[in-house]
Amino acid sequence: MSAQARGELPLWYSAGLVPVLNVACAFLVAGLVVLAIGASPIDAVRILLRGALGSPYGIGYTLYYATTFIFTGLAVAIAFHAGHFNIGGEGQSLLGGLGIALVVLNLAFLPSPLLILLTIAGAALLGAAWAFIPGWLQAYRGSHVVITTIMFNFLAFGLLGYLLVGPMKRPDSMSLETLPFVEGARLFRADEILGWMGIAMPRTPLNLSFALALLCALFTWVLVWRTRLGYEIRTVGANPTAAHYAGISSKRITVIVMLMGGAFAGMMATNEILGVQQRLIADFTAGAGFVGIAVALMGRGHPVGIVLASLLFGVLYQGGAELAFDMPLMTKDMIIVIQGLVILFAGALENMFRERIAGWIFRKPVEVAP
Amino acid sequence: MTVSAVVMSGIDKRFGAVHANKSVDLDVAKGSIHGLIGENGAGKSTLMSILFGFYAADSGTITVDGKAVSIRSSADAISHGIGMVHQHFMLVDTFTVVENVMLGAEGGALTARGEALTRARLKELGKTYGLEVPLDTLVSELTVGELQRVEILKALVRDARVLILDEPTAVLTPTEVEQLFVMLRRLRDEGKTVIIVTHKLKEIMAVTDRVSVMRRGEMVAHLDTAATSPEALAEAMVGRRVVLRVDKGPAKPGATILTVRGLTVKDEKGVTRVNDVSLSVRAGEIVGIAGVSGNGQSELLEVLAGLRAPLKGEILLEGRPVESAAKNESKRLRKMGLRHVPEDRHRLGLVKEFSASESAILGCHDEAGYGSGPFLDAAAIRRDCEVKMSAFDVRPANPDLKTALFSGGNQQKIVLAREIERDPILLLVGQPTRGVDIGAIEFIHKRLIELRDRGKAILLVSVELDEIMALSDRILVMCAGEITGERTPERTDERDLGLLMAGVRERAA
Amino acid sequence: MIEFVSFMVVALDSAVRLSVPLLLACLAGMYSERAGIVDIGLEGKMLVAAFAAGVTAFLVPNPWVGMLAAIAVAVLFALIHGYASINQRGNQIVSGVAINVLASGLTAVLGNAWFREGGRTPQLPGHARFQEITLPGADLVKDVPFLGTLYSDIISGHSAPVYLCILAVPLTWFVFYRTRFGLRLRAVGENPHAVDTAGISVMKMRYGAVIICGILCGMAGAYLAIGQSAGFNNDMTAGKGFIALAALIFAKWRPVPALGACFLFGLLDAVAIRLQGVALPMIGQVPVQAIQSLPYILTVILLAGFIGKAIPPRAAGMPYSKDR
């Protein structure tokens, strides 16, 4: 009997058409908002795409934004695979930034490559540590990880706020920032690297951490679908009682996925802090942790989907910045609206179309074998 | 001339492919206790859920007190004077008894007046029927027997004239069962009609006036209890089935593989599920555990498999102690050669979202053959699954197909292939043919016999008597967590086992 | 000593103001979660409500009209959450996050499009805002030590929503524990099957709860924009919805303790603001962030079960279906 005859929906439908429809719905509603404020959605899309993809400069920025979202998207997705919802990307990224600053400000004497490796490790480590506590509390004390990670976001803001007005503050500055980093602690930018190869590219913030993000996505794919640990993670997420039967400890897996999620979120700081800011500043995450939720939902937890969704959000953020120039009505907040709509339609309302449209296309009810 | 309280006629209900009720008729006389009996899955609960408005029947009519009624919701059923005590109590743990009884019958927007009325009603009902419960205690602090009384009171406060009880004795102690029966008789004598759904013959004989028997979705008999016997009821319940022929030579039992001594298990609620059970299984024999489901077999299996901690007792696998409470015990037992085909393959044995090849390594995913170091070798897993699929005739033989999309029989074959192919020294098997088609049943039985003939020990738990009879070399019968008797298939029959299953202890041999 | 007393009077007075939006949002969450619908979108609903209040009070300079508009918009967002959670049986956490993000973006976009003041709504004149009410006799007893000060400086002199909010606590208590609606609401969050078999519609109960949640969030938002301030500001809720959530857990989903928890968290905030840059004797300078973080820290410790146990309504977060 063919898969379809048994009620299995083909991949192009369940992983292709349905998510695309959900996201399309989000954009449709966003278009209505644009209309409502008296602007033209078509003009907006044109300017947005031209700004994001119409020049090497735009593309550089698009990829720079995408880098951040790949990290925070993976941070949400890895926990999702084990059935947990990590809303703590924001706080874990902040701690990642702190990890970088601590390494650079204390070990500046180290040779550059070693220093950079250590900063990346520091970012991952502190991000993981910040996620470990909610993970451990979920596994061993039954405290819901959603609530604790929300609380830990605010605690991270408090901690960084304290450090940046107090112990780590740059003495000669009014703003909340540390001393600038040494030159050795900077990730090379894409324009520099391409320049060595003789390719000219305008200066953009796109830097080596883009490669690190892609590596993390690849790592996640291998881990989840090609390792024994990944098998255990997926088993805990899909059927915790079967995991118990198979001798898999759900508690251990919970702690592990939170540690990894925290590490991914922490490494997001390599892009912002190590790649661009060159000093630790307050609030550098700017909501990237929440974009991560949208990206993970839209990409359905799969690294390829997450990279694609991150690119889309990269386009939106960069194009949105251009848009704000050309159409003063369209501030960057329009992108936040789209983000919220994507979370709503691709996340909370994900099943709205699945069965209804399957009924039209396949002319039969969707049924799971008993 | 008796008057009917409830008449259900031509009730038909399908759930997808499952035909749960096939044109079922039921006539319950006013002021009687009516038993509805049948095996698991016979369709009794579905029929009662339809009467209580929980499901809508596909076709058929219902008459209450001579009037044709349409029951679309619990609210409809309640308004027609029907009350139901569900097997799983429908109570709010954080509420007091009074609050629980009031819920849905508050008598106004404010609760004060309704509460006073409910209190008075409860006191009055308590006196009339001997249903006394502490009114202001939180429901979570009551005993199971008291909870049941609260449920009955809930129905009575709503002026139920017909009271349905679904498996009311499943969780009661024998004393509580006695008290329940006294209450039910008193309810009947006051003019109420009681329908009691059960699969326990003894209880039917003890408390009912009439009994209706269901089998595989059909109503097969309506009898006067006084004019029938447990043997006749057992036969009606089970039916004259096609006897499954399994070619099986005599067992050649070898060394003792599994020894259990004085095993007692309590569940999360503190109810004793397994009580002082001792047994042993030897190499080269199949020991079958018969019993109505819910009599401790599931818990016994889980403890033996290292998935649940016992209260006390000793388990030895080839002389080495099994410590079910220990971390990773199921993993260690697997390495020692114990394999387990769980009763509920959906809950424990498979991951429905996984491909067949992934489900086929559940619990074995850390074995060397499936990859190296931390990595899994997808190609090797696929090949291994193909081999298993052809050896166990799994259809479609597609390792990449999602597990959920295989039929029950083929899913079970995947589990069985995974567990048998490991060449276990002891195989625990729970309900190996539940939800499995006839062809697959035969196949699965053959494989189990083959395994026995290779000198392996098998402990089989099944609620299907013919399966127990066909496969076992020795039969143990469990009832209420205890072993009520041991038989060999040659020296017993279904009636004999049925009585043991009903808790009627050993007769003089 | 006198310095301390006057410090406390000012702090307590501002604690009352700061705890009002917390308390309203906390009660909002209580109705929703007691009915089994987890709501982490309190923040977002408050924000859209604040925006609606700011806009409406500018157009129709009457604070009560502003509050009505705030309530209408917050209820609309609550219904989106209800539809996703009840009808679509979607993930309630995801839906809550969506509401928060959407609210943050939408208020900024519309605010900027309509008023071109960087997302703010125009400053409102006094008569478009809730005015402070001097309770009868407050001026007379002003000079009576302690009790008089308490009455005139702390209890008196707030705007109408403050008193409404305080009234909402006994009212909620009454609704929960003395009415049919409350009994059913509490039951549906614990065991919806019991409610269904008692002949009550689970869906109606849950929608009812979600709508009340929207109304209270609307009041909270209106107070922020046209009670506490003179117009809407970008992201003016600033995490209050999450503090309210923390307070809800801290109060173990009960109305009277919610009053205590919200007042405590409001007081912590008031003290933190006033301690900024002040060196205390013996202790030295207390970091503001440490005080502001206390609600979160206390909630995590409570959730971890180290001080008592916060047990949420049993069915919270789980979509209801008849099958067991």
Side-chain angles (χ1 to χ4, degrees):
Chain A
M1 215 186 277
S2 81
Q4 203 163 318
R6 289 205 61 91
E8 163 85 313
L9 296 172
L11 200 66
W12 66 262
Y13 180 77
S14 60
L17 185 64
V18 169
V20 167
L21 262 172
N22 286 331
V23 173
C25 229
F27 278 90
L28 198 74
V29 176
L32 293 178
V33 174
V34 174
L35 272 179
I37 61 172
S40 152
I42 297 176
D43 283 351
V45 170
R46 201 166 38 80
I47 297 169
L48 192 133
L49 287 179
R50 199 181 54 211
L53 302 170
S55 67
Y57 175 82
I59 293 174
Y61 263 95
T62 296
L63 294 179
Y64 151 71
Y65 285 118
T67 307
T68 289
F69 305 147
I70 294 173
F71 282 121
T72 53
L74 291 174
V76 176
I78 187 76
F80 249 171
H81 282 293
H84 294 298
F85 200 165
N86 176 17
I87 305 198
E90 207 62 13
Q92 291 147 20
S93 297
L94 285 175
L95 265 285
L98 178 62
I100 291 175
L102 286 177
V103 170
V104 178
L105 296 177
N106 290 305
L107 302 171
F109 55 86
L110 289 173
S112 174
L114 184 61
L115 183 61
I116 285 176
L117 279 180
L118 281 178
T119 55
I120 296 174
L125 199 71
L126 254 68
W130 205 246
F132 170 77
I133 308 169
W136 186 86
L137 288 174
Q138 167 83 64
Y140 293 93
R141 310 287 308 187
S143 337
H144 207 296
V145 88
V146 167
I147 302 293
T148 47
T149 50
I150 290 175
M151 302 293 140
F152 269 68
N153 282 342
F154 287 103
L155 291 177
F157 278 114
L159 179 63
L160 247 71
Y162 165 68
L163 291 174
L164 289 178
V165 291
M168 292 178 77
K169 184 177 159 52
R170 177 179 179 170
D172 56 345
S173 164
M174 282 304 286
S175 46
L176 298 184
E177 59 182 25
T178 61
L179 284 169
F181 292 174
V182 291
E183 177 58 21
R186 187 171 68 80
L187 287 177
F188 291 117
R189 289 189 312 273
D191 52 283
E192 292 172 298
I193 298 166
L194 290 173
W196 300 330
M197 295 190 274
I199 304 166
M201 183 190 162
R203 181 170 169 161
T204 67
L206 178 64
N207 62 73
L208 260 184
S209 58
F210 180 60
L212 182 64
L214 292 182
L215 266 177
C216 284
L218 181 68
F219 171 83
T220 304
W221 181 78
V222 171
L223 176 85
V224 172
W225 281 280
R226 287 292 178 267
T227 69
R228 302 187 202 264
L229 180 60
Y231 182 88
E232 298 194 341
I233 290 172
R234 286 183 294 130
T235 306
V236 168
N239 188 343
T241 48
H244 178 55
Y245 162 81
I248 300 166
S249 160
S250 299
K251 293 178 176 167
R252 181 174 150 265
I253 295 296
T254 299
V255 171
I256 288 176
V257 293
M258 286 305 288
L259 281 173
M260 284 199 282
F264 287 144
M267 280 192 276
M268 168 274 204
T270 59
N271 191 35
E272 301 292 340
I273 296 300
L274 215 49
V276 182
Q277 297 295 344
Q278 282 294 293
R279 67 208 198 289
L280 180 61
I281 57 167
D283 299 359
F284 68 90
T285 49
F290 291 101
V291 184
I293 295 171
V295 162
L297 289 170
M298 207 171 144
R300 318 199 108 232
H302 195 287
V304 173
I306 287 169
V307 170
L308 290 176
S310 298
L311 287 173
L312 178 69
F313 269 96
V315 166
L316 289 174
Y317 269 72
Q318 165 54 18
E322 293 287 317
L323 199 56
F325 266 119
D326 289 6
M327 300 169 78
L329 282 178
M330 305 285 296
T331 56
K332 64 168 176 34
D333 299 301
M334 194 61 222
I335 307 307
I336 312 268
V337 172
I338 296 176
Q339 183 188 325
L341 291 167
V342 165
I343 298 176
L344 184 66
F345 283 100
L349 297 174
E350 64 169 339
N351 294 324
M352 201 160 59
F353 299 118
R354 183 178 302 274
E355 275 152 55
R356 204 165 300 166
I357 296 181
W360 299 340
I361 297 181
F362 306 110
R363 287 173 184 279
K364 66 194 284 300
V366 182
E367 219 176 81
V368 177
Chain B
M1 186 68 202
T2 55
V3 183
S4 297
V6 171
V7 180
M8 300 177 82
S9 49
I11 300 293
D12 216 83
K13 178 71 185 171
R14 283 174 189 275
F15 295 101
V18 181
H19 204 165
N21 281 172
K22 299 174 191 165
S23 189
V24 170
D25 298 325
L26 178 69
D27 188 332
V28 181
K30 205 174 173 69
S32 72
I33 300 180
H34 195 111
L36 184 57
I37 195 165
E39 291 189 302
N40 284 303
K44 326 178 282 284
S45 289
T46 305
L47 188 67
M48 289 302 108
S49 295
I50 289 169
L51 182 55
F52 193 63
F54 213 66
Y55 301 124
D58 298 337
S59 61
T61 58
I62 300 173
T63 311
V64 179
D65 286 335
K67 275 185 302 212
V69 295
S70 144
I71 300 178
R72 291 157 184 276
S73 66
S74 307
D76 287 348
I78 292 167
S79 73
H80 292 304
I82 298 169
M84 181 156 178
V85 177
H86 296 262
Q87 190 178 355
H88 305 281
F89 298 137
M90 296 293 178
L91 296 169
V92 179
D93 278 356
T94 51
F95 280 12
T96 63
V97 170
V98 173
E99 286 175 315
N100 263 295
V101 173
M102 276 168 71
L103 184 66
E106 298 86 349
L110 300 184
T111 48
R113 206 174 62 91
E115 192 182 325
L117 284 175
T118 307
R119 226 172 254 285
R121 277 304 305 279
L122 284 175
K123 287 209 177 106
E124 173 204 323
L125 288 168
K127 278 206 199 89
T128 319
Y129 300 108
L131 283 161
E132 261 137 20
V133 283
L135 299 189
D136 294 302
T137 309
L138 285 185
V139 151
S140 56
E141 290 164 14
L142 298 183
T143 65
V144 181
E146 287 171 321
L147 292 175
Q148 191 168 53
R149 255 174 271 165
V150 175
E151 283 283 20
I152 294 173
L153 285 165
K154 257 169 76 177
L156 295 179
V157 163
R158 287 162 173 75
D159 294 320
R161 281 156 294 161
V162 179
L163 187 65
I164 308 165
L165 296 108
D166 189 6
E167 302 287 357
T169 60
V171 287
L172 299 185
T173 63
T175 333
E176 285 173 330
V177 171
E178 258 328 297
Q179 289 168 348
L180 173 70
F181 288 173
V182 170
M183 265 184 278
L184 294 183
R185 288 189 196 105
R186 208 182 292 186
L187 282 168
R188 174 193 57 194
D189 297 343
E190 296 285 328
K192 306 275 184 195
T193 308
V194 177
I195 303 176
I196 169 168
V197 180
T198 182
H199 50 231
K200 296 184 183 170
L201 297 169
K202 207 174 91 181
E203 292 164 5
I204 290 286
M205 297 307 294
V207 75
T208 64
D209 302 310
R210 271 181 74 76
V211 53
S212 297
V213 186
M214 286 190 79
R215 184 170 75 219
R216 291 174 199 174
E218 288 175 88
M219 192 61 85
V220 291
H222 300 285
L223 304 158
D224 278 325
T225 310
T228 187
S229 65
E231 287 80 3
L233 282 177
E235 197 172 305
M237 259 170 83
V238 176
R240 294 224 172 268
R241 287 189 190 162
V242 191
V243 178
L244 288 164
R245 292 283 309 158
V246 183
D247 290 326
K248 174 175 97 162
K252 300 178 200 76
T256 301
I257 301 294
L258 176 74
T259 310
V260 177
R261 287 192 208 113
L263 189 70
T264 298
V265 184
K266 283 197 177 187
D267 68 8
E268 294 73 16
K269 287 184 179 160
V271 178
T272 303
R273 289 300 184 175
V274 177
N275 192 8
D276 196 23
V277 162
S278 300
L279 59 87
S280 67
V281 185
R282 296 164 69 183
E285 71 166 349
I286 298 180
V287 174
I289 296 186
V292 172
S293 78
N295 276 281
Q297 308 97 308
S298 310
E299 289 79 5
L300 176 66
L301 264 191
E302 285 183 16
V303 169
L304 294 181
L307 299 177
R308 182 193 272 273
L311 188 70
K312 57 174 189 253
E314 191 182 22
I315 307 169
L316 298 171
L317 180 59
E318 286 197 304
R320 282 182 289 179
V322 170
E323 285 156 46
S324 295
K327 219 166 121 185
N328 286 336
E329 184 64 6
S330 64
K331 226 176 198 172
R332 189 179 75 97
L333 290 174
R334 270 198 189 90
K335 293 210 172 83
M336 284 167 67
L338 175 140
R339 305 299 306 192
H340 175 203
V341 177
E343 286 188 306
D344 186 341
R345 58 179 169 269
H346 294 135
R347 208 170 68 82
L348 295 179
L350 298 163
V351 181
K352 286 195 276 184
E353 291 82 354
F354 281 4
S355 71
S357 63
E358 286 180 312
S359 274
I361 62 165
L362 186 68
C364 326
H365 57 279
D366 48 4
E367 284 177 14
Y370 294 131
S372 53
F375 297 102
L376 282 173
D377 180 347
I381 292 167
R382 218 176 164 280
R383 273 197 308 276
D384 178 70
C385 187
E386 273 169 358
V387 171
K388 281 189 190 128
M389 283 179 148
S390 78
F392 278 77
D393 191 28
V394 176
R395 287 179 227 181
N398 178 2
D400 299 329
L401 195 63
K402 216 162 122 188
T403 310
L405 299 172
F406 287 87
S407 70
N410 284 302
Q411 287 178 346
Q412 187 70 332
K413 283 179 181 174
I414 294 173
V415 177
L416 217 67
R418 181 181 74 211
E419 301 303 314
I420 289 185
E421 293 283 282
R422 287 291 170 312
D423 214 24
I425 56 165
L426 170 67
L427 184 70
L428 306 174
V429 195
Q431 320 299 348
T433 56
R434 179 180 283 171
V436 166
D437 48 295
I438 298 284
I441 291 177
E442 215 174 335
F443 183 88
I444 289 169
H445 284 176
K446 258 189 211 153
R447 302 307 295 245
L448 290 174
I449 297 289
E450 262 172 46
L451 192 70
R452 177 200 76 159
D453 291 343
R454 293 214 308 269
K456 310 299 182 185
I458 299 179
L459 183 70
L460 166 75
V461 167
S462 176
V463 293
E464 302 290 338
L465 271 188
D466 46 356
E467 181 164 85
I468 291 281
M469 294 286 276
L471 293 178
S472 311
D473 299 309
R474 281 192 294 134
I475 300 170
L476 301 173
V477 184
M478 264 184 101
C479 178
E482 294 176 16
I483 290 182
T484 49
E486 179 172 345
R487 295 283 188 275
T488 55
E490 297 77 31
R491 299 192 52 197
T492 186
D493 54 34
E494 292 196 340
R495 268 179 227 168
D496 175 38
L497 291 179
L499 289 174
L500 286 174
M501 282 160 62
V504 183
R505 288 274 178 167
E506 302 272 351
R507 292 167 296 185
Chain C
M1 189 60 203
I2 289 169
E3 216 175 293
F4 176 74
V5 169
S6 70
F7 172 85
M8 279 319 286
V9 167
V10 177
L12 284 173
D13 181 52
S14 94
V16 170
R17 290 163 209 273
L18 289 168
S19 53
V20 163
L22 296 183
L23 187 53
L24 285 169
C26 182
L27 293 175
M30 196 177 297
Y31 279 95
S32 184
E33 302 210 345
R34 270 291 177 111
I37 307 287
V38 168
D39 194 352
I40 65 167
L42 298 172
E43 174 90 357
K45 285 197 280 286
M46 262 205 284
L47 192 64
V48 289
F51 178 71
V55 173
T56 312
F58 170 71
L59 299 174
V60 184
N62 178 331
W64 295 103
V65 177
M67 183 178 270
L68 272 182
I71 288 173
V73 172
V75 167
L76 180 73
F77 272 68
L79 287 174
I80 296 176
H81 185 56
Y83 177 71
S85 311
I86 303 167
N87 295 78
Q88 290 293 320
R89 301 163 40 81
N91 185 323
Q92 298 171 11
I93 305 291
V94 174
S95 172
V97 172
I99 299 275
N100 288 337
V101 176
L102 192 58
S104 156
L106 214 50
T107 50
V109 166
L110 295 179
N112 192 51
W114 292 342
F115 303 106
R116 319 263 162 126
E117 287 183 32
R120 282 196 305 274
T121 60
Q123 286 287 306
L124 297 170
H127 64 279
R129 287 153 39 197
F130 287 108
Q131 294 299 305
E132 289 172 358
I133 300 168
T134 305
L135 293 183
D139 291 333
L140 287 177
V141 297
K142 199 172 175 53
D143 296 325
V144 180
F146 192 68
L147 282 181
T149 318
L150 182 74
Y151 183 71
S152 69
D153 287 359
I154 298 170
I155 297 177
S156 173
H158 298 286
S159 58
V162 177
Y163 299 109
L164 276 183
C165 166
I166 292 165
L167 271 181
V169 175
L171 188 66
T172 299
W173 179 88
F174 185 80
V175 167
F176 275 18
Y177 301 110
R178 289 292 180 270
T179 69
R180 172 174 64 192
F181 177 78
L183 185 79
R184 293 177 173 191
L185 182 103
R186 288 185 290 134
V188 86
E190 288 289 334
N191 187 351
H193 295 289
V195 172
D196 196 355
T197 51
I200 304 162
S201 161
V202 172
M203 190 187 265
K204 275 187 199 156
M205 283 312 300
R206 291 198 161 164
Y207 265 111
V210 160
I211 289 170
I212 295 177
C213 170
I215 292 172
L216 288 165
C217 281
M219 290 171 67
Y223 176 72
L224 280 178
I226 56 176
Q228 225 171 35
S229 329
F232 173 80
N233 276 321
N234 263 337
D235 281 315
M236 78 183 306
T237 44
K240 288 192 172 61
F242 294 106
I243 300 246
L245 210 57
L248 179 59
I249 295 165
F250 217 74
K252 301 181 181 174
W253 294 268
R254 292 169 302 169
V256 177
L259 177 67
C262 290
F263 187 73
L264 174 69
F265 291 176
L267 184 64
L268 284 174
D269 201 10
V271 168
I273 294 166
R274 267 154 197 82
L275 279 188
Q276 209 143 20
V278 179
L280 290 180
M282 310 287 285
I283 310 167
Q285 204 170 322
V286 180
V288 183
Q289 293 83 1
I291 304 172
Q292 281 170 336
S293 297
L294 266 178
Y296 306 115
I297 296 172
L298 288 173
T299 306
V300 169
I301 294 174
L302 178 75
L303 276 173
F306 292 120
I307 43 165
K309 193 110 187 91
I311 303 164
R314 183 171 301 169
M318 285 183 281
Y320 175 67
S321 76
K322 283 195 169 196
D323 310 309
R324 276 146 288 167

